[in-house]
Amino acid sequence: MTAAGEAYALFTSLTDAEPAGLWSAPGRVNLIGEHTDYNDGFVFPFATPHRTHVALGHRGDARIRVVSTFDTVPVEVAIADLDDLFPARRDEIAEWARYPLGVAWALLQQTGRDAASVTGVDLAFASDVPVGAGLSSSAAIEGSTASALNDVWSLGLDKVALAQAGRRAENEAVGAPTGIMDQMASMLGETDAGTFLDCRSLEAQVVDLGFARAGLDLLVMDTRVAHAHSTGGYRERREACERGAAAMGVPALRDVTIEQLPEVAERVDEVTFRRVRHIVTENQRVLDAVATLRERGPRAIGDLLTASHASMRDDFEISVPELNLAVDTALAHGALGARMTGGGFGGAAIALVDHGAVATATAAVEKAFADAGFGAPHLFTVRPAEGARRDG
Ligand code: ADP
Ligand code: MG
């Protein structure tokens, strides 16, 4: 059964009624622009064909109930209690349910709407976005919830505002300190296009990728390595970026140019300098990738992807042997470019590959992992897909 069918079936088994509508939102892959978001810089993600679907129905009371194929025990609260639950008493809510209930809370906060002014709802979720594989299943459940509630509660919010509600839910209701890239990519995605996002102004541009026309696939290579040092490592990187910006007297590394790097080197220690150099050059690579796509097409961005990986491996030092092996092996077997994607210390890498070379590259990476004694990776292709929408 498709995930949409599963959401529908879960809804009808929960309520014995037909849903009022079906909505969905995709996961995302970051094409280029890593750790640039919290430096007020640029990112360039796209939406995946993997989606989280929600079937929604109205209730006769003022309560909200959520259920998911992940955990079939429904979670139900009074809409008027959301305000007390988040963030102070969030521990009382099953962790997964903090995402959709947190979105409901964030939407009411953001619009200033009174709980009594909205109708009770049941929401049933099903998804084919793999969790923790670098595809942001969290943004997908947030985006599907935000889209559905925006429609049935007639909130009139645009997609950027819905992305902001998703981020607020994740930061405050779930308690995960993430940026807004994932939610923007999931809300704004379009078929065979990426979302070029300025994380300072939140201005977003949809940029044609043209992978399909060029016969290219984006191969995701999930190493299945857990993000072992991610918390401490993430904090250390953020602090290094803040030190670098302070040393240059600017609010964020977004304001430092490549020409200023020699000056940075005089003002900070060697490790901090390399952290700064990654951010400054990565911002430029995002701009270059957008310009290159427009001027020369998708085959020409491969080298930028590979340069991004080298910068994360050598300067930002957030790669791991599994990610390096996936990237190097893909490149040795026909990939036009490859890089680790996501926060680092594990997770997934991506490779831009001719459709006809996907099978060879996949087999080569699987063999290289086996030869190195690493656990089996999970490889699959994605074509950039449409953002959040109503499906029925
Ligand atoms: P990811 O990288 O996949 O976004 P996160 O840790 O940010 O990983 O978010 C994953 C969490 O989001 C899951 O552990 C679960 O709590 C919640 N989640 C995502 N999709 C669903 C779903 N379809 N149903 C229930 N919970 C979900
Ligand atoms: Mg997430």
Side-chain angles (χ1 to χ4, degrees):
M1 208 193 293
T2 62
E6 279 175 9
Y8 181 90
L10 185 62
F11 183 91
T12 53
S13 74
L14 179 73
T15 63
D16 271 330
E18 296 283 306
L22 290 158
W23 288 258
S24 66
R28 66 95 190 95
V29 168
N30 192 17
L31 186 61
I32 193 161
E34 219 65 74
H35 286 261
T36 44
D37 56 349
Y38 56 80
N39 290 291
D40 277 3
F42 306 106
V43 293
F44 192 18
F46 64 83
T48 64
H50 308 76
R51 306 180 76 85
T52 294
H53 297 262
V54 61
L56 177 148
H58 296 283
R59 295 168 61 102
D61 58 16
R63 300 176 72 78
I64 179 165
R65 178 168 54 163
V66 293
V67 64
S68 166
T69 52
F70 282 33
D71 178 350
T72 46
V73 183
V75 176
E76 185 181 322
V77 301
I79 295 173
D81 286 346
L82 287 170
D83 231 7
D84 287 335
L85 285 166
F86 296 123
R89 288 164 50 210
R90 65 175 179 231
D91 291 350
E92 294 171 28
I93 306 278
E95 187 169 9
W96 77 267
R98 294 175 206 163
Y99 291 84
L101 295 177
V103 168
W105 165 76
L107 287 169
L108 294 178
Q109 292 274 316
Q110 201 164 315
T111 53
R113 287 279 292 268
D114 193 77
S117 74
V118 298
T119 53
V121 280
D122 287 318
L123 297 106
F125 295 92
S127 179
D128 56 23
V129 185
V131 173
L135 262 54
S136 199
S137 65
S138 55
I141 190 170
E142 289 154 10
S144 59
T145 308
S147 302
L149 293 178
N150 186 46
D151 286 355
V152 300
W153 286 349
S154 303
L155 300 176
L157 296 173
D158 64 16
K159 290 188 167 200
V160 173
L162 297 180
Q164 285 170 318
R167 182 206 183 162
R168 181 155 186 196
E170 189 147 348
N171 290 170
E172 296 177 36
V174 178
T178 55
I180 200 171
M181 167 173 79
D182 299 359
Q183 293 83 3
M184 290 288 277
S186 179
M187 289 306 309
L188 297 173
E190 286 183 22
T191 304
D192 214 9
T195 302
F196 168 47
L197 177 66
D198 180 334
C199 296
R200 175 170 276 169
S201 68
L202 291 192
E203 251 172 76
Q205 279 178 55
V206 174
V207 178
D208 188 28
L209 291 170
F211 290 170
R213 272 194 315 282
L216 294 172
D217 277 326
L218 214 289
L219 181 62
V220 177
M221 306 179 283
D222 177 11
T223 64
R224 301 199 155 163
V225 175
H227 304 226
H229 307 290
S230 56
T231 316
Y234 186 75
R235 196 182 323 112
E236 191 274 329
R237 300 310 182 278
R238 281 192 85 128
E239 285 166 2
C241 294
E242 283 163 20
R243 271 199 307 281
M248 293 300 286
V250 292
L253 290 182
R254 152 71 171 274
D255 303 303
V256 178
T257 63
I258 288 180
E259 290 69 38
Q260 288 175 300
L261 282 174
E263 206 181 320
V264 177
E266 286 168 17
R267 297 190 188 192
V268 299
D269 62 274
E270 193 266 339
V271 172
T272 305
F273 172 68
R274 285 190 288 114
R275 306 294 188 248
V276 172
R277 183 165 61 185
H278 165 70
I279 301 299
V280 172
T281 58
E282 184 79 351
N283 269 328
Q284 188 59 46
R285 278 185 291 270
V286 178
L287 298 174
D288 290 349
V290 171
T292 302
L293 276 165
R294 287 176 173 151
E295 288 157 19
R296 294 162 57 208
R299 306 187 75 83
I301 65 167
D303 291 345
L304 289 165
L305 302 182
T306 306
S308 169
H309 183 75
S311 179
M312 286 187 282
R313 183 191 59 208
D314 303 334
D315 274 355
F316 221 55
E317 296 182 284
I318 54 171
S319 193
V320 293
E322 289 86 346
L323 287 166
N324 295 336
L325 184 63
V327 165
D328 293 344
T329 308
L331 289 171
H333 291 84
L336 301 171
R339 59 183 285 273
M340 54 155 286
T341 182
F345 307 104
I350 55 171
L352 188 61
V353 186
D354 273 306
H355 187 65
V358 167
T360 320
T362 301
V365 172
E366 285 169 351
K367 180 172 186 307
F369 270 58
D371 289 349
F374 294 157
H378 179 215
L379 281 79
F380 54 95
T381 59
V382 285
R383 284 249 167 112
E386 211 184 313
R389 61 176 188 230
R390 182 169 189 160
D391 294 311

